[in-house]
Amino acid sequence: MRVIRLTMSLPNSRPLDNSCELNRMVKRLYTSPNKGFIEVGPCNVFMINNFEQVYDGIKNLTVYDDDVFLLGFPKSGTRWTQEMVWLICNDFDYEGAKETILTRRFPTLEFDGVTHYNINITKTISEMKRPRLLKTHLPWSLCPDDITSYSKKPKFIVVTRTPEDVCLSMFYHARTSQGFTGSFEEFCILFLAGKVMFGSYWSQVLSVWEQRDKHKMLFIRYEDMKEDLAAVIRQVAEFLGKNVPEEEMPRLVRHLSFDSLKVNPAFNNADLIAKFNGHCNPFVREGIVGGHKTAMTSEMIERFKIMKRKMFGDAGLCFD
């Protein structure tokens, strides 16, 4: 039987207006993208206008039960986890990992809609062999219908990272690739309010956490990867039904080290770096756990603590 999919309009989509000081801050402090910003969906996800062009493809994506999805808010360690998962699922093909860019090996569903670099993700996904490895930073409500309707049951690996460090990493990314001209203090204010790309960190994390008993999900923490990467590799491999021989572990850990990935052009988006006017690479920076402690004021750290208790306390999520 032929399945007919309906074209879907972007839900609750509206341009970012000047109705509040936070919106005015956004318009004042960002010099790009020049196509403007929108807020979409039930969580008022903050995006650039380009997202409207890819939304139908995301919601109507045909999902298979043998797909593996990687979920996580931006700058939570998702690229690092992508590289790990791809190697585990591809028999430790280190040469392939160096020859083919990560975006094509392990595509991000919304990539063409949130960057200036259209590489035709829809075509990339359509040409992938199964089982496919796919990533998204989107909250659950904007994910493909096949999974939000529970009609398909792929596996999900979810990466989390303490919000203060996510905020710091996003700040550097916003400065280099999104034209953010404000201070770190101003960016923290916008982050707390969900006025950064992909919207509210709090809503995105909670929206996925609430699905943990309804789908096959493995939650891993960025901080655990930094502390004992080999242990997390074993945990991920077991979840995927794969085996990592102990004799392979040292080479895999070396390949996944930040020093190695920083000089791997297939990982660090070296072909895009020239567009950042010589600034630091926003895709691989430092990755320090607790780096926010030397960047945030004590007052801002307290504001984050209050927000974590408010948003995550009842849900049982803890990042301290």
Side-chain angles (χ1 to χ4, degrees), residues 16-33:
L16 195 71
D17 58 29
N18 292 313
S19 62
C20 68
E21 175 56 27
L22 288 169
N23 287 1
R24 293 191 288 271
M25 278 181 66
V26 168
K27 293 185 174 185
R28 184 175 74 251
L29 298 176
Y30 280 89
T31 60
S32 68

Side-chain angles (χ1 to χ4, degrees), residues 74 93 97 197 284:
D93 181 8
M197 197 66 74
V284 187

Side-chain angles (χ1 to χ4, degrees), residues 37-53:
F37 297 101
I38 56 175
E39 290 184 307
V40 302
C43 296
N44 298 323
V45 179
F46 179 84
M47 301 293 262
I48 62 174
N49 283 347
N50 287 15
F51 183 67
E52 293 183 301
Q53 301 171 16

Side-chain angles (χ1 to χ4, degrees), residues 18 32 43 64 85-86 90 125 138 145 149 155 182 184-185 215 234-235 249 253 262 276 296 302 314 318:
N18 292 313
S32 68
C43 296
Y64 302 102
V85 172
W86 190 88
N90 286 274
I125 293 175
L138 294 171
D145 276 349
S149 67
K155 287 185 175 180
F184 180 49
E185 185 87 0
H215 278 279
R234 295 186 187 97
Q235 185 182 16
M249 189 65 75
V253 169
K262 280 182 178 180
F276 298 130
M296 281 187 183
E302 183 61 27
D314 293 340
C318 181

